[in-house]
Amino acid sequence: MNALNAAAEEARHYANQARSRAAQAGTDLQRLTLSAAALTLDSVARLLSRPDRENAVLDALSIAESYATSADAGPLALPGGFTLNVLDYLTA
């Protein structure tokens, strides 16, 4: 598996985590925030199939981390810095 595929799989993994946590969220705000993170991470996975989209990938990762780690996500927020796991595959 090449680095782009591995990074896309990692982004999908975190999208699934965000989706799962959104389903467990206690408020609409938490559910919407985590759902936005999942959608953005799905976009990252799709963008990774286009190597000419590096800036778009970095922007989308930043947006995803903003949503996923936001106080609005509540206690189910993803851990800060999780996007570094996606970027690790691209820099390896």
Side-chain angles (χ1 to χ4, degrees):
M1 182 183 316
N2 71 30
L4 290 176
N5 288 339
E9 279 303 310
E10 193 73 8
R12 284 187 204 94
H13 165 76
Y14 285 110
N16 289 334
Q17 274 194 357
R19 227 183 259 64
S20 172
R21 291 176 184 209
Q24 300 170 29
T27 68
D28 285 341
L29 180 59
Q30 292 169 351
R31 195 171 6 272
L32 289 170
T33 302
L34 289 165
S35 293
L39 289 171
T40 308
L41 285 161
D42 286 335
S43 295
V44 167
R46 283 191 302 277
L47 285 167
L48 283 166
S49 69
R50 306 268 320 261
D52 61 327
R53 304 285 189 198
E54 182 179 329
N55 289 334
V57 167
L58 295 176
D59 289 345
L61 276 173
S62 176
I63 292 166
E65 184 156 354
S66 256
Y67 280 124
T69 62
S70 164
D72 292 339
L76 297 174
L78 294 176
F82 75 90
T83 55
L84 294 176
N85 295 334
V86 175
L87 292 174
D88 281 348
Y89 285 103
L90 299 177
T91 59

